[in-house]
Amino acid sequence: MRRLFGLVLASLVILSGLAHAQDKAADPAKVSDSLKAIFQVGSAETKQALNANTVTLISGTIGGTYVQFGADLASVLDNGNELRILPIVGRGSVQSVADILFLQGVDLGIVRADTLDYLEKKGFAKGIKKQFAYVTKLYNEEMQVIAPKQYRSLKDLAGRTISVDLPDGGTFVTALTVFERLGLNANFVYIEQRIAMEKLKTGEIDAVIVVGGKPYKSVSNFVNDGRFHLVTVDYDRPLQGDYLPARMTTKDYPNLIADGETVDTIAVPAVLAAYNWSPTTERYRKLSLFVDAFFTKFPTFQNPPFHPKWKEVSLSAPLPGWQRLPAATMWLKEHATTQGRMDDLLNPRAAAARTAPLGQPPRAQARTNAPPPQPRDPMMQQMQ
């Protein structure tokens, strides 16, 4: 009898201990704002809180650097109902410009610096830069040209069939601009990158151009059977106004660059931009909230596991021809120190990069009076 009583008592003690342990265990409902919101369905206060401090960011296509940057921003800056970053998969730089201008609910977007210049110079959008304000210049996006090894430089691809991604993106803008300035002509086709790379392998096209921050996922994942490499893009004089010299190594693309070799190319800045809202609007308030959180936590992005391109970002870097969001300018002024610019303290690598820019020094090129042939432009075709 005593033995039975002892077993019962021991069982009660164990059950009591388990119950006590469960009380101490973390309850997801107590730590998850999402669960709290679900439990409060119908609450006007919860709905208002969720919408008031959510900032949406249009990024880029799956596998691109823009998408990874959007994910990084959400990972670091999300802070419950105080601030939520909602990245949206986009279609590329051209589409992102349209989305920032017209799509309801889009607060920010990552666009390529030469896209707005292209739209203005081609007459598609007059004074479009006045409608945008930039938060910061991000990183430089390299022009990566995959082709068979018989093509050594971009000039060797004159007259060839080249894929420049879809017309919603910004790759075709950079490609067409570069070929036009160099006086080169080509048969441009607009094919999604993964499909284009398969067509390259079968010989249906001669090259694939990708403009994006290295290492770019689709380029890194390209399965090379030994026939292909990255083509050199010389930093010739006609490109020096809007582009920067850049260099890629085996470390960037071991599948396309042999050990010890380098490939010279050009790069174009990526920009974190927003519609130029009036400071008295609710949309501007949310942008100010984003700027404060982003700039304050900026050093976090420059360490693993975040994209290596964050190391190139300089918060106070100027962007000629663009106007900066006043909230960003104000933050930088308020946090400036007598020791130098804020981002130089936060990011010494970016500061050094400004004094020693990417790649090799500019090389001169003989001038020519002959007007360059005009590549086929998908946006012009739509206007006709």
Side-chain angles (χ1 to χ4, degrees):
M1 188 69 176
R2 286 183 178 179
R3 187 174 184 183
L4 179 61
F5 178 76
L7 290 173
V8 172
L9 182 61
S11 299
L12 290 173
V13 170
I14 292 172
L15 290 172
S16 175
L18 288 173
H20 185 64
Q22 287 176 350
D23 288 340
K24 283 189 171 182
D27 181 354
K30 294 180 180 179
V31 298
S32 169
D33 288 317
S34 299
L35 280 174
K36 291 176 185 177
I38 293 171
F39 296 153
Q40 298 171 18
V41 170
S43 167
E45 183 178 347
T46 299
K47 182 178 179 180
Q48 182 178 2
L50 286 173
N51 285 277
N53 298 325
T54 296
V55 175
T56 55
L57 168 70
I58 195 77
S59 58
T61 54
I62 294 175
T65 313
Y66 291 179
V67 164
Q68 296 175 65
F69 262 58
D72 288 349
L73 286 166
S75 176
V76 173
L77 303 185
D78 272 13
N79 188 19
N81 290 340
E82 294 181 16
L83 178 64
R84 184 185 178 196
I85 309 301
L86 190 62
I88 304 172
V89 175
R91 295 180 179 174
S93 188
V94 172
Q95 184 65 54
S96 292
V97 168
D99 290 341
I100 294 170
L101 288 175
F102 304 117
L103 199 60
Q104 293 183 2
V106 171
D107 298 301
L108 291 161
I110 303 175
V111 300
R112 200 164 289 147
D114 61 354
T115 300
L116 295 188
D117 289 328
Y118 173 85
L119 294 172
E120 287 199 347
K121 290 176 181 178
K122 293 295 184 180
F124 298 125
K126 185 178 181 180
I128 192 172
K129 279 190 177 179
K130 296 179 181 178
Q131 300 182 61
F132 282 81
Y134 80 100
V135 173
T136 186
K137 174 186 174 294
L138 289 175
Y139 53 88
N140 296 315
E141 298 192 274
E142 291 80 12
M143 186 175 186
Q144 293 135 101
V145 185
I146 307 174
K149 290 182 177 179
Q150 65 260 34
Y151 303 110
R152 303 300 302 175
S153 72
L154 202 64
K155 296 180 177 64
D156 294 336
L157 289 169
R160 300 297 179 178
T161 299
I162 304 172
S163 173
V164 290
D165 206 0
L166 300 175
D168 293 328
T171 289
F172 87 88
V173 170
T174 302
L176 267 63
T177 301
V178 168
F179 271 71
E180 181 178 312
R181 290 190 184 183
L182 295 178
L184 304 174
N185 201 1
N187 176 30
F188 292 113
V189 292
Y190 303 91
I191 307 171
E192 195 269 326
Q193 286 176 2
R194 294 170 299 176
I195 299 173
M197 289 180 184
E198 292 304 312
K199 289 182 177 293
L200 176 64
K201 293 176 183 178
T202 60
E204 296 176 65
I205 59 177
D206 299 301
V208 176
I209 293 180
V210 176
V211 181
K214 66 176 184 180
Y216 199 88
K217 190 173 182 180
S218 65
V219 180
S220 297
N221 292 342
F222 179 78
V223 179
N224 186 6
D225 59 8
R227 292 181 294 150
F228 304 96
H229 71 155
L230 289 175
V231 170
T232 296
V233 182
D234 292 320
Y235 190 53
D236 292 329
R237 187 176 298 278
L239 306 179
Q240 293 170 17
D242 298 306
Y243 299 99
L244 297 168
R247 179 165 289 168
M248 298 174 289
T249 68
T250 307
K251 184 178 178 180
D252 300 315
Y253 297 113
N255 56 327
L256 289 162
I257 302 176
D259 287 340
E261 293 187 2
T262 61
V263 176
D264 294 329
T265 187
I266 61 167
V268 58
V271 183
L272 183 59
Y275 184 77
N276 191 22
W277 292 102
S278 167
T280 60
T281 60
E282 172 66 11
R283 301 293 290 276
Y284 183 89
R285 182 196 68 80
K286 293 205 293 182
L287 290 174
S288 299
L289 190 68
F290 169 85
V291 166
D292 184 63
F294 173 38
F295 282 17
T296 300
K297 297 181 179 180
F298 175 68
T300 304
F301 294 101
Q302 301 194 309
N303 298 297
F306 303 109
H307 197 285
K309 275 289 183 178
W310 279 110
K311 292 181 174 65
E312 291 184 13
V313 178
S314 171
L315 290 181
S316 67
L319 197 61
W322 289 67
Q323 55 190 336
R324 192 189 285 271
L325 187 74
T329 300
M330 188 178 304
W331 193 98
L332 290 170
K333 286 182 178 179
E334 289 176 353
H335 292 80
T337 71
T338 57
Q339 301 176 51
R341 292 186 302 179
M342 182 65 183
D343 66 292
D344 287 350
L345 298 177
L346 296 175
N347 186 5
R349 293 190 184 187
R354 283 196 300 276
T355 58
L358 305 171
Q360 77 275 22
R363 293 191 294 273
Q365 175 180 308
R367 295 176 179 270
T368 176
N369 295 323
Q374 300 297 312
R376 184 168 61 89
D377 188 327
M379 300 191 73
M380 276 295 197
Q381 291 180 332
Q382 293 177 11
M383 296 284 287
Q384 292 172 351

